[in-house]
Amino acid sequence: MPEDVAAASPEDDGSLRQALDLAALSPISLPDMTPARKEIREKPRRALLIAHGSSHRPEAIALTEAIADRLRGVGDYDRVAIAALHGEPGIRVSLESLGDGPVDIFPLFMSDGFLTRTRIPSLMGTDPSDPRIRYHRPVGCHAAMPGLVAAEIGALCRSRDLDPGSATILIVGHGSSRPSASRDGAEAIASGLRRLQRFGTVETAYLEEAPRLGEWLAACRPDGPPIVVFGLFLGAGQHASVDLPEVLARHREVLSSRIVAMQTMLGNVEALADLVRSIADEEPQIAPARRAKL
């Protein structure tokens, strides 16, 4: 990777929350989280955050743990546990560790596809019709997500003294060979960024479906506006830590003067925790595995 490419860390978000101009981002702004909010909720319950995780990279769960710590700190729940679809801790073990009582379950995924609708519910090890299980939509589907991504990209541009209005923003999603909820989610976020009219252009590419990231980069001219690459990943797993940087590295000689900043995953813990808290106030969704028994 060229030396002038900055890969932002999840910890580098000190001023991100202040950078979120909620009025300017309306109607896709973060919700107002006031102290009165706790009074209108039922007594604190248990919560389980489920991430993709990685069997080979324990650090993939670090962002999820940071969000859980934030939720513990604000006191909405008596207990908050985390789990990984791949790796440890496992979903069933973490769910059982919370004991009896209502549980809010939050998939920390960027889209609502096969994994969140079928795979995760099948691994819970509970009766799908159990009313104590409140299974919510993925955090990436929240209407405020484009605003959160815009704030992180804005901070990344400022760290490079780059005018966002002059840059090409390349949003990199996972993609899939299946009917792709992943693509739909990434395109929805890209559309939200375009509506904000804060960036030069906003493009999308994917790791596992067309247009693939490597193909998009190969089609770029060596001269042109600066490119800011932003990965839509919620953890430092294989895609964010290895796959995305390796594809970019293969094109570093031709595009070294254009790719000026890179962030491979979301990192604003405070804002992500706020999204989870907002989703908790919604009616939970019913995954297909649960509908079958209702």
Side-chain angles (χ1 to χ4, degrees):
M1 185 55 56
E3 293 181 358
D4 62 348
V5 174
S9 162
E11 287 77 23
D12 295 338
D13 65 352
S15 63
L16 262 180
R17 186 60 179 168
Q18 291 75 16
L20 269 172
D21 182 346
L22 301 186
L25 291 179
S26 179
I28 53 175
S29 60
L30 291 172
D32 179 28
M33 294 294 182
T34 64
R37 180 184 175 283
K38 287 181 63 178
E39 299 175 4
I40 63 174
R41 284 193 53 176
E42 299 177 3
K43 64 179 182 179
R45 298 185 298 271
R46 297 157 176 82
L48 177 62
L49 307 182
I50 302 178
H52 187 281
S54 171
S55 301
H56 306 291
R57 295 181 173 275
E59 66 272 20
I61 204 74
L63 178 62
T64 303
E65 184 59 68
I67 296 170
D69 282 343
R70 173 70 181 172
L71 293 178
R72 295 177 188 118
V74 297
D76 285 355
Y77 295 97
D78 291 330
R79 299 178 65 185
V80 180
I82 66 171
L85 183 61
H86 299 285
E88 300 294 336
I91 294 174
R92 184 175 302 187
V93 171
S94 291
L95 185 56
E96 291 175 350
S97 74
L98 292 171
D100 296 329
V103 180
D104 276 333
I105 298 179
F106 303 101
L108 297 188
F109 286 73
M110 289 303 297
S111 61
D112 194 15
F114 171 78
L115 295 181
T116 56
R117 288 181 167 267
T118 303
R119 182 61 175 159
I120 290 175
S122 72
L123 294 175
M124 288 182 188
T126 63
D127 183 346
S129 62
D130 189 338
R132 296 174 301 173
I133 303 298
R134 293 170 47 85
Y135 186 70
H136 294 276
R137 62 178 174 142
V139 66
C141 296
H142 196 288
M145 184 56 75
L148 192 157
V149 171
E152 295 213 28
I153 294 174
L156 183 60
C157 289
R158 287 193 299 276
S159 74
R160 307 299 294 179
D161 294 324
L162 174 67
D163 174 14
S166 69
T168 294
I169 309 301
L170 178 59
I171 299 297
V172 181
H174 184 285
S176 174
S177 57
R178 298 187 177 97
S180 187
S182 174
R183 180 190 184 93
D184 292 344
E187 295 295 339
I189 289 173
S191 294
L193 296 181
R194 295 183 189 109
R195 288 196 299 272
L196 292 176
Q197 299 182 344
R198 293 186 172 189
F199 309 106
T201 59
V202 179
E203 304 289 340
T204 53
Y206 301 91
L207 295 179
E208 297 191 2
E209 72 173 278
R212 292 182 179 270
L213 176 58
E215 296 168 350
W216 190 95
L217 294 170
C220 286
R221 296 171 56 89
D223 57 326
I227 298 172
V228 175
V229 180
F230 191 91
L232 292 182
F233 299 100
L234 285 167
Q238 176 74 19
H239 295 313
S241 299
V242 178
D243 298 341
L244 196 163
E246 283 187 350
V247 174
L248 289 176
R250 290 198 291 270
H251 297 269
R252 65 179 178 269
E253 292 186 7
V254 175
L255 297 176
S256 60
S257 64
R258 292 194 63 189
I259 302 177
V260 298
M262 173 186 74
Q263 183 169 325
T264 62
M265 55 180 277
L266 284 87
N268 189 342
V269 172
E270 181 180 352
L272 288 168
D274 277 353
L275 291 194
V276 170
R277 298 178 70 206
S278 177
I279 291 171
D281 287 333
E282 302 173 353
E283 285 298 316
Q285 71 175 14
I286 302 178
R290 295 187 66 188
R291 290 195 191 100
K293 292 194 176 184
L294 293 180

